[in-house]
Amino acid sequence: MNEIVRIGQLYPGKLHPASLQRERQNAGTAVNSPPGRFKELLDENLLKFSNHAAKRLEQRGIELRSDQLAKISSAVDQAAEKGSKESLILMKDMAFIVNVQNRTVVTAMDDRTMKNNVFTQIDSAVVIS
């Protein structure tokens, strides 16, 4: 044992065994965290659709593939990086109004409903090719 033991100090080194035990206990609680936390982390990156948007998708016959959803999600990320709150996302023959902070699609339009339309209450637009 090469470490010096000082008077009033029972254990050599900088860390007391009780502090190590607390660290191990805290590490164990992270593993045993409630499943709700995992769901929160998962939901942070998922794109959600409001009831209104879901109805519009159904009414207008808009079906989104997984690659299209990934592009919309990427566009939401770009809008968030710029500090947007409500964004218009244009993708080929579709348009989506998205609440960027909540990652929620508020409404969806196809090419017929987009024509001669004025988009209000948005602070950004992202065009996806």
Side-chain angles (χ1 to χ4, degrees):
M1 191 158 129
N2 294 336
E3 295 185 32
I4 300 172
V5 176
R6 295 194 173 96
I7 297 173
Q9 181 180 4
L10 296 175
Y11 301 97
K14 296 180 182 181
L15 294 176
H16 190 275
S19 65
L20 291 173
Q21 186 176 6
R22 275 184 293 220
E23 287 177 20
R24 279 188 231 120
Q25 287 174 347
N26 290 342
T29 56
V31 172
N32 298 327
S33 64
R37 178 68 182 136
F38 176 74
K39 184 172 178 359
E40 288 173 18
L41 291 172
L42 186 63
D43 287 343
E44 284 178 10
N45 293 322
L46 290 179
L47 192 62
K48 297 174 259 235
F49 289 84
S50 68
N51 289 335
H52 175 79
K55 287 178 187 175
R56 294 296 174 257
L57 288 169
E58 186 178 332
Q59 287 174 348
R60 295 171 179 155
I62 301 171
E63 293 182 11
L64 296 171
R65 298 184 313 269
S66 60
D67 63 318
Q68 291 173 319
L69 288 172
K71 287 180 181 180
I72 295 169
S73 183
S74 175
V76 173
D77 292 338
Q78 290 174 359
E81 287 174 8
K82 299 290 184 178
S84 299
K85 294 178 182 162
E86 296 284 332
S87 186
L88 168 66
I89 297 178
L90 296 169
M91 183 170 64
K92 296 186 181 180
D93 58 346
M94 296 176 277
F96 305 92
I97 303 289
V98 179
N99 180 304
V100 177
Q101 295 170 331
N102 296 332
R103 299 187 61 83
T104 303
V105 176
V106 178
T107 193
M109 292 162 269
D110 57 3
D111 57 344
R112 290 174 291 157
T113 52
M114 273 194 301
K115 293 179 182 171
N116 299 323
N117 202 347
V118 176
F119 299 100
T120 59
Q121 298 180 355
I122 59 168
D123 59 8
S124 63
V126 182
V127 179
I128 302 173
S129 57

